[in-house]
Amino acid sequence: TLMLAALVALPACSDRKESAQELLTSRLVERRDVDFQNVETFPEGVVCGEYRTNDPMVVRNDFHRFIVRGEEVETRASELDWKIFCSRDPAGALFTTLGIGPVDNADTQLPKLRTDLMLLQEALAQYLADNFTLPTSEQGLEALVTAATIPPLPLKFKPGGYIATVPLDPWGRPYHYERDALSGGVAQEFRLFTLGADDAPGGTGKDADIDTGQLKYLDLVAP
């Protein structure tokens, strides 16, 4: 039975590798004669490997790491993404590298953190689309519920707001929100995070700091 299951799995893995390579190639500017090596499949359908393009205009055609997750393609995978996504145990890798987890420990509250951060991130994206800027750090996340009364005032605030209420983190504290200074005339960058149960920088387990930049890892290990 085990041998039969392995034989069935082989074509599926091969198909995932091929579709991942095709998807990556479609995202490249130079799509001719793309070489691949060390392409492997990982949990949740993730495909990792290395590629290079044979562009005659490039002096050095080195291999670059890539990661394909669903329709998401990273053509220059970071070291951190590589360690977590390209692991046989991504949950373990997440805990080892960032101290987030363990996933099966209810004290870490990862499902709620993921839900809250996704909700707030989507609301901020909608606010930005309507008003061409994000709420300032001073206006805070409450600017998603009711229109801010301190400048800069929103240009086109959505009737009813972007969320009904601002959620608190699992330990009853507000999520931290910081908007970066203006860049190119439009404020589009922000940091949204919790400092964990201890409400202090650093820490592991329930005390780990988690921000929206780590949502992609939570999507993988704590859906």
Side-chain angles (χ1 to χ4, degrees):
T1 303
L2 290 175
M3 183 176 292
L4 178 60
L7 290 174
V8 171
L10 283 174
C13 290
S14 178
D15 290 345
R16 285 207 303 274
K17 289 180 183 179
E18 290 179 6
S19 61
Q21 291 176 67
E22 291 173 359
L23 183 59
L24 180 137
T25 301
S26 71
R27 305 290 175 86
L28 299 176
V29 175
E30 178 55 60
R31 302 175 185 176
R32 296 171 297 175
D33 301 324
V34 181
D35 295 329
F36 292 92
Q37 68 178 18
N38 303 322
V39 180
E40 298 183 50
T41 59
F42 293 90
E44 306 303 324
V46 174
V47 177
C48 302
E50 298 173 306
Y51 78 97
R52 70 178 176 189
T53 59
N54 293 298
D55 187 346
M57 302 300 292
V58 177
V59 177
R60 290 184 56 184
N61 288 321
D62 296 330
F63 278 93
H64 302 284
R65 288 175 172 176
F66 75 87
I67 300 174
V68 175
R69 300 176 288 116
E71 296 298 311
E72 297 290 325
V73 179
E74 294 184 46
T75 58
R76 294 290 193 278
S78 70
E79 187 66 26
L80 182 58
D81 284 356
W82 188 265
K83 287 180 179 179
I84 296 173
F85 288 119
C86 307
S87 168
R88 299 298 174 193
D89 178 16
L94 180 61
F95 184 68
T96 300
T97 56
L98 295 176
I100 298 174
V103 174
D104 56 0
N105 186 336
D107 289 343
T108 61
Q109 296 284 339
L110 294 185
K112 173 173 169 52
L113 287 169
R114 174 178 176 270
T115 299
D116 289 351
L117 290 174
M118 285 181 64
L119 172 70
L120 291 169
Q121 180 175 253
E122 290 170 0
L124 285 166
Q126 293 172 4
Y127 186 100
L128 176 61
D130 286 349
N131 300 285
F132 306 105
T133 188
L134 289 164
T136 65
S137 300
E138 292 73 24
Q139 291 170 339
L141 296 173
E142 286 296 334
L144 299 172
V145 179
T146 56
T149 57
I150 58 174
L153 302 183
L155 299 174
K156 187 181 176 184
F157 192 80
K158 178 181 176 182
Y162 296 86
I163 51 175
T165 58
V166 179
L168 298 177
D169 75 10
W171 303 280
R173 303 187 186 94
Y175 285 95
H176 297 269
Y177 169 74
E178 299 170 356
R179 193 197 77 178
D180 288 352
L182 287 173
S183 176
V186 180
Q188 299 186 24
E189 301 296 328
F190 67 91
R191 186 173 180 228
L192 177 63
F193 60 101
T194 175
L195 292 174
D198 62 356
D199 199 32
T204 61
K206 66 180 182 179
D207 296 329
D209 305 346
I210 300 177
D211 62 35
T212 50
Q214 283 121 30
L215 274 175
K216 56 186 177 182
Y217 307 135
L218 299 185
D219 287 344
L220 184 72
V221 304

